[in-house]
Each structure stands twice: as C-alpha cells, then as structure tokens.
Amino acid sequence: QGNAFYGDLNELEAELDEGRPVIVWLGMWGDSGSFDQYSATGYRYQLTTGMHVMVAYGYDDTRVYLTDPGTAILREYEKAEFVRLWEVMDEMALSVWR
C-alpha cells in the first residue's frame, strides 16, 4: 500500500515520522528542461531533462537523507537544496506502507 501525494516538506516529514519510506521525484538539472505533454485523451504530464527518482528515508533539522537506486549510494541534501530539486517535479511523492 502507499500514499501518492503532491506535498510539501512538512507532509514528507510526517510520512517519514510514521516510518514510511517516501519515493520522491527530483529535477536534478533544475527546471530549465521541463515541458508539458498531453496524452490522446488530454491528460497533462510533465517531462523533465535530468528527472531522477530517489527514496527519502530520514531527515533532521537541516538535511533530507535519501538512497539513490541508480547508483546504490546514500545521499543527503540541505533542505533548501532538496526542496529546490523536488519543486521542479511539483513535489511529487509516494510513501510506501507495505
């Protein structure tokens, strides 16, 4: 089970406080390469050069801690930098319960 959301840092932290890892979509190269596309039925979706998916597993007063499945490396970002990358993808997230 999971919870898909477009949230803010407080919602992300609340999910992590519940012990739920959160999949986050990040625009690693900023928003200069983002554009919208539309499906045949008119559904809007965003394409972003440099989009990457990581799993947030923790945070503290100044940082967010992630694991990067593309490189198998643990990463950490200052909260302001994390939010800047996350906002490119409309703060899209999926918390995982089971």
Side-chain angles (χ1 to χ4, degrees), residues 9-95:
L9 196 55
N10 292 329
E11 189 166 0
L12 174 71
E13 290 174 354
E15 292 291 329
L16 295 172
D17 287 344
E18 292 293 325
R20 300 173 183 153
V22 180
I23 301 165
V24 293
W25 282 256
L26 304 172
M28 302 306 290
W29 300 346
D31 62 2
S32 62
S34 293
F35 59 95
D36 292 339
Q37 283 287 24
Y38 294 88
S39 70
T41 60
Y43 179 79
R44 181 191 75 85
Y45 58 96
Q46 178 178 321
L47 297 175
T48 301
T49 304
M51 187 272 297
H52 193 57
V53 178
M54 292 191 216
V55 179
Y57 65 87
Y59 70 96
D60 61 25
D61 289 341
T62 61
R63 297 181 180 278
V64 176
Y65 299 93
L66 305 112
T67 180
D68 183 343
T71 60
I73 293 175
L74 297 177
R75 299 196 181 275
E76 58 184 68
Y77 291 94
E78 294 286 336
K79 283 186 177 180
E81 177 67 6
F82 172 79
V83 168
R84 186 185 72 77
L85 299 173
W86 194 31
E87 284 178 339
V88 172
M89 303 305 298
D90 298 330
E91 297 175 321
M92 184 168 49
L94 172 66
S95 65

